[in-house]
Amino acid sequence: MKIVSLRPVKLADENTPTPAAKNYTDYPLIILSQGERKQIARITANADGSYRATLPPGDYILDVEGRVARRLRVRAQPFRIVSNEAVHVDMTIITGFGAEVSAPQE
């Protein structure tokens, strides 16, 4: 998983603190059944952004919990689990979209 921020760029000065790294626990992932879109699992990425889930064979969708309400730019990722195979699904989360849209116009 990768988290990207679209917050406006601010000029650096000597007193500007270094921004903290994004905390993956702030962006829990959900696995939905592809047909009914029923939540099957909720997972949290570890400190390096990787995650694991064990699922039965079938078609699923990986999404971010609460992405619409939080105004995150995320493309839900459909994927298929086949018996006795591992699947790698990447997820990129773009934050700061809500702040960018609601910024006052000059």
Side-chain angles (χ1 to χ4, degrees):
M1 177 168 53
K2 180 170 52 171
I3 301 173
V4 179
S5 178
L6 291 180
R7 304 264 170 172
V9 175
K10 295 182 181 180
L11 296 176
D13 66 341
E14 295 172 12
N15 298 326
T16 303
T18 304
K22 292 290 183 182
N23 186 355
Y24 293 111
T25 59
D26 293 339
Y27 303 93
L29 303 173
I30 53 174
I31 298 173
L32 308 169
S33 61
Q34 197 161 22
E36 302 170 0
R37 296 220 175 217
K38 178 181 175 186
Q39 185 172 327
I40 304 298
R42 181 179 187 270
I43 53 178
T44 304
N46 62 22
D48 69 359
S50 61
Y51 56 89
R52 289 184 181 265
T54 302
L55 300 166
D59 294 321
Y60 300 95
I61 298 169
L62 180 67
D63 206 347
V64 177
E65 185 176 68
R67 72 176 164 88
V68 175
R70 296 171 68 185
R71 301 183 80 177
L72 301 172
R73 283 192 196 173
V74 175
R75 178 173 291 162
Q77 300 293 324
F79 64 98
R80 174 172 285 158
I81 299 293
V82 179
S83 188
N84 297 321
E85 288 188 17
V87 175
H88 180 95
V89 182
D90 288 326
M91 175 67 68
T92 299
I93 302 169
I94 301 175
T95 66
F97 179 65
E100 183 178 281
V101 170
S102 63
Q105 300 292 320
E106 293 184 22

